[in-house]
């Protein structure tokens, strides 16, 4: 029998009050085939009948064992530790009750681990937005191709994948190093667990196959920890987990990984929460700003190199330089992906580019030599209704002379359906390449039209604007556009469609300030919009 078919894997499934989904999770683990020796389902003292449901499943499946905790832990770490202590198989994986393992996940990871003699094998996780079905790869760059990494320090980017669920671990390795999750009501336990794994210096095997489907239910009554970011306690927990990860890696002598973990915090966590800061009230903003400044004060000089104008580092330097929240709209755009640095572009008395006149200590001088493809330049986008269609006006801003130096010639316009959900119609071409025209104010403009009826022909959904700016040297860069509001902007509008009779289109700015369109075609789409508006009025 091939080694990948031997019963060597334990899958630890944890759940709390998730009777609606836990069956699918357990069955997805059992369906992996004979390589799965046991599925250990840990019920964290549920009160919704989950334990009874699992007990019935176990009665018909000898590979399933159910462990019920007597007291709810309040987190995910303790039940995972409970399951880990109960497994007998040589390898172990983790699965949350509201997610699933795709077919072939176990075989792909086990084959890699055994053939490469690796203590840890990791594969691609996809975030599946529900109910749309849109899938977004998690850390796809890391899993683009097969790789074997003798020591984590040789691939510092490993610190960016803090998930524990898309990996297979040699049980003896975890036990020998005493690697466990934080106990109790500890949020972001994955971050600390992953740091402990990396600190132990395991041999890693990476595979490009999909091995985990992470279900994202933003409309759920009880949001997951990663989605429930409205309270300041969530941010404090995030920074504490990041601090612990840094200290674990540094304490193990993994200085390069510790430095990478700090850089990852600036590029990922800080940018993510900064994009949402404008949505919070003043009290939250002040608390966030004060806590963030205190945390960033722990960074040393080496943490700001080699590029102090990289978006996350620049954002952090602005926070450190000001005692009060400021420039939130501008910071939101800087935190976008890709980053956009909105005007005004200020210079100090000696001509050095700076963040603003009252924050001259935040220098932007590295922007003068940074490659054009990495510059946080800004393209404004404004929709204007016209009798013969809808005009999309694009305006590219100068950035300390770098745009003039690169000589922007044209821009390619494309609308992409965000929630395609496998319907096939996920893109709508714009007018192809549209030439830029230099303006007297030092900007470049380009006008094209938007066929709103064509977007509606693909059904209800959200469309994101993507631009590909082309320069004179034949290089280019894909960017999103800053949504311009004000006089003349297009509000919700009804558009005549040969297929649907009428299409409702609503432009809006995303959390990061980019232009997007919500489209609702036909009588059913119109009715759904009216129903949602009435419900908001009633609520």
């Amino acid at each position: 029998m091939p080694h990948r078919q031997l019963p060597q894997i334990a899958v630890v499934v944890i759940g709390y009050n998730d009777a609606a989904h836990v069956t699918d999770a357990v069955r997805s683990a059992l369906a992996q085939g004979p390589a799965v020796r046991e599925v250990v389902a840990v019920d964290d003292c549920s009160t919704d009948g989950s334990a009874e449901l699992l007990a019935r499943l176990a009665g018909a499946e000898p590979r399933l064992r159910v462990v019920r905790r007597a007291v709810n832990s309040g987190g995910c770490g303790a039940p995972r530790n409970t399951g880990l202590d109960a497994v007998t198989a040589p390898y172990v994986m983790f699965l949350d009750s509201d997610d699933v393992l795709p077919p072939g996940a176990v075989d792909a990871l086990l084959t890699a681990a055994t053939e490469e003699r690796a203590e840890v094998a990791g594969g691609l996780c996809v975030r599946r937005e529900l109910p749309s079905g849109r899938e977004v790869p998690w850390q796809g760059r890391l899993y683009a191709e097969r790789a074997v990494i003798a020591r984590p320090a040789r691939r510092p980017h490993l610190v960016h994948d803090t998930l524990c669920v898309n990996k297979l671990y040699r049980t003896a390795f975890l036990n020998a190093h005493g690697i466990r999750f934080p106990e109790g009501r500890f949020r972001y336990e994955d971050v600390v667990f992953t740091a402990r794994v990396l600190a132990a210096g395991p041999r890693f095997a990476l595979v490009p196959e999909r091995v985990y489907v992470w279900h994202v239910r933003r409309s759920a009554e009880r949001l997951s920890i990663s989605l429930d970011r409205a309270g300041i306690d969530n941010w404090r927990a995030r920074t504490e987990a990041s601090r612990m990860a840094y200290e674990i890696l540094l304490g193990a002598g993994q200085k390069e990984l510790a430095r990478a973990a700090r850089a990852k915090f600036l590029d990922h966590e800080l940018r993510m929460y900064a994009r949402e800061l404008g949505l919070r009230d003043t009290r939250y903003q002040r608390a966030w700003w004060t806590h963030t400044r205190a945390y960033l004060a722990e960074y040393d000089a080496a943490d700001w190199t080699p590029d102090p104008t990289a978006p996350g580092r620049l954002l952090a330097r602005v926070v450190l330089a000001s005692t009060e929240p400021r420039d939130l709209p501008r910071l939101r755009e800087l935190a976008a992906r890709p980053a956009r640095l909105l005007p005004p572009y200020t210079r100090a008395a000696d001509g050095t580019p700076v963040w603003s006149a009252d924050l001259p200590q935040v220098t932007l001088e590295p922007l003068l030599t940074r490659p054009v493809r990495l510059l946080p330049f800004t393209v404004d986008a404004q929709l204007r209704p016209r009798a013969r269609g809808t005009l999309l006006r694009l305006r590219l801003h100068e950035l300390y002379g770098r745009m003039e130096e690169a000589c922007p010639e044209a821009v390619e316009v494309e609308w992409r359906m965000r929630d395609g959900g496998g319907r096939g119609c996920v893109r709508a071409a714009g007018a192809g390449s549209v030439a830029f025209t230099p303006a007297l104010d030092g900007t470049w403009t380009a006008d094209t039209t938007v066929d709103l009826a064509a977007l509606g022909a693909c059904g209800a959904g959200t469309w994101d604007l993507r631009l590909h700016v082309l320069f004179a040297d034949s290089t280019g860069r894909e960017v999103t556009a800053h949504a311009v509001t004000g006089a003349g902007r297009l509000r919700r509008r009804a558009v005549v469609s040969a297929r649907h009779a009428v299409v409702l289109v609503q432009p809006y700015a995303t959390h990061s300030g980019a232009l997007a369109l919500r489209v609702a075609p036909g009588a059913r789409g119109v009715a759904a919009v009216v129903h949602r508006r009435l419900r908001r009025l009633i609520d």
Side-chain angles (χ1 to χ4, degrees):
M1 183 181 294
H3 63 263
R4 68 173 181 266
Q5 296 299 327
L6 295 176
Q8 301 187 73
I9 307 296
V11 181
V12 174
V13 183
I14 64 166
Y16 169 66
N17 281 354
D18 198 16
H21 307 116
V22 68
T23 299
D24 289 339
V26 169
R27 286 176 174 164
S28 76
L30 293 170
Q32 295 296 311
V36 175
R37 175 189 295 184
E38 57 189 348
V39 175
V40 180
V42 182
D43 180 75
D44 201 10
C45 199
S46 297
T47 58
D48 69 342
S50 294
E52 294 76 14
L53 180 60
L54 289 170
R56 289 195 296 271
L57 287 173
E61 174 53 69
R63 291 182 297 165
L64 174 60
R65 284 191 291 145
V66 180
V67 179
R68 179 170 169 81
R69 289 176 53 87
V71 179
N72 178 259
S73 68
C76 296
R80 287 199 186 119
N81 289 340
T82 298
L84 186 53
D85 291 339
V87 304
T88 62
Y91 296 92
V92 62
M93 293 180 66
F94 300 101
L95 172 62
D96 291 347
S97 61
D98 54 349
D99 300 329
V100 294
L101 298 180
V106 162
D107 279 352
L109 292 174
L110 181 58
T111 298
T114 53
E115 289 184 351
E116 304 298 343
R117 304 184 309 282
E119 285 85 11
V120 182
L124 182 65
C125 168
V126 294
R127 289 167 51 101
R128 180 182 292 166
E129 298 272 353
L130 298 176
S132 71
R134 182 175 71 109
E135 293 187 348
V136 180
W138 169 261
Q139 296 299 325
R141 165 186 161 191
L142 193 60
Y143 299 100
E145 59 186 12
R146 294 181 181 276
V148 179
I149 303 163
R151 295 189 303 276
R154 294 184 177 179
R155 186 73 66 88
H157 197 76
L158 284 169
V159 302
H160 285 253
D161 184 10
T162 53
L163 297 182
C164 73
V165 290
N166 62 329
K167 300 178 184 70
L168 176 75
Y169 306 90
R170 188 184 292 275
T171 310
F173 162 76
L174 297 180
N175 292 336
H177 293 277
I179 298 173
R180 291 295 187 269
F181 294 87
E183 290 275 343
R185 298 181 182 275
F186 191 96
R187 298 180 179 182
Y188 302 107
E189 72 292 330
D190 275 18
V191 176
V192 176
F193 179 84
T194 299
R196 289 171 176 167
V197 169
L198 295 176
R203 181 178 174 88
F204 259 83
L206 307 180
V207 300
E209 286 87 356
R210 297 197 331 166
V211 300
Y212 197 87
V213 178
W214 174 2
H215 287 147
V216 180
R217 297 178 172 89
R218 300 184 188 276
S219 59
E221 183 176 342
R222 179 168 60 94
L223 290 175
S224 66
I225 290 174
S226 60
L227 295 179
D228 189 10
R229 298 192 292 267
I232 192 64
D233 286 347
N234 183 284
W235 178 237
R236 289 172 177 149
R238 197 107 188 198
T239 55
E240 178 58 23
S242 297
R243 177 187 288 112
M244 288 182 64
Y246 171 78
E247 292 173 349
I248 289 168
L249 292 168
L250 193 64
Q254 301 281 4
K255 294 183 179 180
E256 187 174 2
L257 289 177
R259 191 76 66 197
R262 278 192 163 175
K264 173 254 182 186
F265 174 84
L266 299 179
D267 185 61
H268 179 64
E269 280 89 349
L270 187 64
R271 291 175 73 175
M272 176 169 58
Y273 282 74
R275 286 195 296 270
E276 301 173 350
L277 195 53
L279 304 175
R280 313 304 182 202
D281 59 27
T282 302
R283 182 178 180 181
Y284 176 98
Q285 292 171 358
R286 288 183 178 276
W288 185 93
W289 200 271
T290 299
H291 181 78
T292 305
R293 293 186 80 238
Y295 178 70
L296 293 175
E298 301 173 12
Y299 278 46
D300 56 42
D303 292 320
W304 305 106
T305 57
D307 185 1
T309 58
R313 289 187 174 92
L314 178 55
L315 198 162
R317 289 168 56 219
V318 172
V319 173
L320 275 174
S322 176
T323 58
E324 296 290 330
R326 58 170 292 155
D327 303 333
L328 298 189
R330 201 177 187 208
L331 292 178
R332 177 192 69 173
E333 303 277 343
L334 182 63
R337 293 190 184 277
R340 298 184 293 269
L341 181 61
L342 296 185
Y345 302 124
T346 309
R347 293 181 183 267
D350 62 358
T352 301
V354 295
W355 177 261
S356 62
D358 58 339
L359 282 185
Q361 65 270 39
V362 182
T363 177
L364 303 182
E365 189 171 13
L367 293 181
L368 299 179
T369 55
R370 200 176 193 204
V372 173
R373 62 182 175 81
L374 298 178
L375 288 175
F377 60 82
T378 296
V379 179
D380 290 338
Q382 187 174 29
L383 288 169
R384 297 181 178 180
R386 299 187 308 180
R388 294 184 179 181
T390 298
L391 174 71
L392 173 64
R393 170 152 293 176
L394 303 173
R395 185 181 300 275
L396 170 63
H397 291 270
E398 180 56 273
L399 185 62
Y400 296 112
R402 298 303 308 282
M403 293 297 96
E404 183 178 11
E405 173 188 315
C407 191
E409 292 189 333
V411 58
E412 295 176 347
V413 180
E414 184 179 57
W415 294 93
R416 297 182 187 172
M417 181 177 271
R418 184 187 307 169
D419 302 324
R423 291 198 296 267
C425 187
V426 295
R427 295 189 178 193
S433 179
V434 185
F436 272 124
T437 301
L440 296 177
D441 61 357
T443 63
W444 290 260
T445 61
D447 289 347
T448 185
T449 57
V450 183
D451 190 345
L452 299 178
L455 301 185
C458 292
T462 300
W463 293 83
D464 293 307
L465 177 62
R466 292 291 185 272
L467 307 173
H468 191 72
V469 178
L470 305 173
F471 298 101
D473 63 356
S474 298
T475 63
R477 186 189 180 191
E478 185 175 291
V479 298
T480 57
H482 164 64
V484 176
T485 59
R489 69 186 179 94
L490 181 66
R491 299 179 182 274
R492 180 182 285 118
R493 187 183 181 203
V495 179
V496 176
S497 166
R499 179 174 178 179
H500 296 286
V502 65
V503 177
L504 280 186
V505 181
Q506 180 186 24
Y508 73 101
T510 67
H511 287 172
S512 63
L515 179 65
L517 297 176
R518 295 189 183 98
V519 176
R524 182 174 298 179
V526 173
V529 172
V530 173
H531 178 68
R532 285 195 297 270
R533 287 179 62 87
L534 288 175
R535 289 199 61 176
R536 284 197 296 267
L537 290 173
I538 293 173
D539 295 340

